[in-house]
Amino acid sequence: MGRPQDSIIVTNRTMMLVATLLCLLITFVRWPEILLDAQFWGEDGWFWWPEARSLGLSSLWLPHTGYFQTDDRLVALLSALLPLTWGPTLFAGAAFVFEVLPPAFLISQRCAALCPSLPLRCFLALMWCALPNTWEVHGNLTNSQWHLALLSFLIVLSSPPRTRGAWTFDTLLLALSAVSGPFSILLVPIAALRTWQLPSKASMVRLALLAAGATLQAASIYLTQRGMPPLLGATPTNFVRLMAGQIMMGSLAGCLQLPYWYALGSWKIALLPWLLFLVGAWLCIDALRRWPVLRYAGLFTALMLLASLSHPVATPGTPVWIAMRAPNMSMRYLFIPLVFWVSVVVIQALGARWSWAKGTALVFLALMVGFGIPQDWRFEPEPNRNFYELAHQFDKAPPGTQITVPVRPGSQVTLTR
């Protein structure tokens, strides 16, 4: 007869496998056209693929918006070796993997030290995959750096690797993330604090990798001199409206319902935003008091908000903090705060003892599951703009031929054969 401990291990592994497969399924069914009708998204077609073809390996050293985005460049170099008809599929496949990695890693035993309850980790991972108001960061390589930042945060806090495969995974993914977006700069304080509190060979290696990437990214940002937008719109009320709208109402009711809430009189006079914000802040502060691991997440979220809201890409003619309140507008900057907020709600609702905070979190979780997630569950496919017909023409055309192909969302780019 098998020992009870063996039975528990088998049950846990089965649960982790099923939860991971569900994460893959949820990520796919929310926008299956991303893989089944893959096309370039934004910078994929405007910069990564054309520059990989024209510049080759030297494109890796070309910053974009002030910093290096190496994950995009590496995938572009691989896709440049293939016909144009295959390029977007490789981009979409890589983006899909990067998006699923954080919830899958959270489910794994490596994160048991952060959350001992496997059912809670599995539910939280599924909530990450079903997040409302995430159209901009779903299924495209250009914004995969935000998912890599979340994965890097989990790796920094996870238990030390015990196998060569785990060491390889941590090293490669942290190194890639460190030079894919500026987030290594924000993760260095987290890794340093973790190393100080729990010193180990793994924590020191992680800190060294992030510090090296942060140095490179900081030097690039300094040399390109990207400053604050002239119209930032940074006021307390604008901040509260942004957090209460895109983060709280976006998760509770879905981003498609935001115009309805914005039209309410109580929203226009800022009464409802301030009420939501204060309740949400109380819930988060209570969670930080209860669970030390959430203090790391809170610090990372605060640093992310500070960097993102002080140096976002400018919006012509409109203060940035006001423009960011529009549905599906610049949600990449608020992705990590959205993950933090939903995680706080789930952990408070399912992991805390009974209290007013737990009761409030249960109400919020019910609204998310009952309204927010269903409202934003399915991302609408774009109309067919004959990308593959044009791509076949491009692949068969003589050198020097110029062909304009569509780029999601609603744009295009002219490529030279």
Side-chain angles (χ1 to χ4, degrees):
M1 295 180 62
R3 293 177 299 175
Q5 186 67 25
D6 295 335
S7 177
I8 293 174
I9 292 175
V10 171
T11 301
N12 287 349
R13 288 177 176 174
T14 302
M15 186 184 300
M16 287 188 283
L17 176 60
V18 171
T20 302
L21 291 175
L22 285 175
C23 287
L24 290 166
L25 180 62
I26 290 172
T27 304
F28 173 73
V29 300
R30 295 190 70 190
W31 201 349
E33 293 80 10
I34 286 292
L35 289 176
L36 301 181
D37 184 28
Q39 297 181 30
F40 288 132
W41 174 287
E43 286 83 347
D44 298 350
W46 300 334
F47 299 104
W48 316 140
W49 195 82
E51 290 173 351
R53 291 185 72 245
S54 61
L55 301 176
L57 288 174
S58 60
S59 64
L60 289 172
W61 298 103
L62 189 63
H64 183 75
T65 60
Y67 48 81
F68 297 102
Q69 301 190 31
T70 306
D71 64 326
D72 305 322
R73 299 289 189 185
L74 286 175
V75 174
L77 285 171
L78 290 175
S79 66
L81 302 175
L82 304 173
L84 176 59
T85 49
W86 284 95
T89 301
L90 187 58
F91 274 72
F96 184 84
V97 171
F98 290 148
E99 185 168 342
V100 174
L101 275 176
F105 189 77
L106 176 66
I107 292 169
S108 73
Q109 193 64 25
R110 296 285 307 281
C111 287
L114 309 183
C115 177
S117 171
L118 178 57
L120 182 56
R121 295 204 312 275
C122 290
F123 184 82
L124 185 55
L126 295 175
M127 288 291 291
W128 285 4
C129 293
L131 281 175
N133 206 10
T134 52
W135 169 82
E136 190 181 28
V137 295
H138 185 85
N140 66 82
L141 188 64
T142 289
N143 290 321
S144 63
Q145 55 181 305
W146 304 88
H147 298 284
L148 284 175
L150 178 58
L151 176 63
S152 296
F153 172 78
L154 292 176
I155 292 175
V156 166
L157 296 187
S158 67
S159 58
R162 296 181 180 179
T163 66
R164 183 176 299 177
W167 271 105
T168 302
F169 177 87
D170 285 9
T171 302
L172 290 180
L173 267 298
L174 272 181
L176 178 62
S177 178
V179 289
S180 300
F183 309 108
S184 53
I185 300 174
L186 309 180
L187 283 167
V188 164
I190 309 296
L193 182 61
R194 189 68 168 177
T195 302
W196 177 64
Q197 292 183 337
L198 294 172
S200 67
K201 177 183 176 181
S203 64
M204 289 186 284
V205 170
R206 294 164 179 171
L207 177 58
L209 288 171
L210 290 171
T215 300
L216 185 63
Q217 297 286 27
S220 177
I221 293 172
Y222 175 77
L223 292 174
T224 54
Q225 292 295 314
R226 173 179 164 181
M228 291 185 180
L231 293 174
L232 195 58
T235 68
T237 299
N238 281 341
F239 176 77
V240 167
R241 288 181 184 273
L242 184 59
M243 296 297 104
Q246 292 284 38
I247 302 297
M248 298 190 68
M249 287 307 305
S251 63
L252 300 176
C255 78
L256 298 180
Q257 300 301 313
L258 288 180
Y260 166 78
W261 292 97
Y262 291 170
L264 295 178
S266 58
W267 192 279
K268 292 180 179 180
I269 64 173
L271 175 62
L272 184 55
W274 272 103
L275 178 61
L276 281 172
F277 177 81
L278 291 174
V279 173
W282 162 68
L283 203 62
C284 291
I285 292 171
D286 184 75
L288 297 180
R289 179 181 62 83
R290 291 172 182 266
W291 292 283
V293 69
L294 284 180
R295 296 169 196 166
Y296 288 101
L299 175 59
F300 183 44
T301 301
L303 293 173
M304 185 71 74
L305 276 174
L306 179 62
S308 297
L309 296 184
S310 63
H311 291 78
V313 175
T315 305
T318 305
V320 179
W321 286 18
I322 295 177
M324 288 176 65
R325 299 205 299 259
N328 291 325
M329 183 67 181
S330 301
M331 267 306 295
R332 62 191 183 276
Y333 295 123
L334 302 178
F335 172 67
I336 296 297
L338 177 62
V339 171
F340 175 72
W341 160 246
V342 171
S343 300
V344 165
V345 170
V346 170
I347 294 171
Q348 285 274 35
L350 304 181
R353 295 180 179 178
W354 178 255
S355 65
W356 283 107
K358 181 182 180 71
T360 305
L362 283 169
V363 172
F364 282 157
L365 182 58
L367 291 173
M368 289 179 187
V369 174
F371 294 96
I373 290 175
Q375 286 290 332
D376 285 2
W377 178 258
R378 183 69 165 89
F379 298 116
E380 289 297 323
E382 287 199 353
N384 180 23
R385 294 195 286 157
N386 303 315
F387 171 84
Y388 284 97
E389 294 179 15
L390 296 168
H392 280 295
Q393 294 178 24
F394 181 88
D395 291 333
K396 297 177 181 179
T401 302
Q402 290 188 328
I403 294 181
T404 300
V405 299
V407 173
R408 287 172 176 158
S411 184
Q412 61 185 25
V413 65
T414 299
L415 302 175
T416 302
R417 183 73 169 90

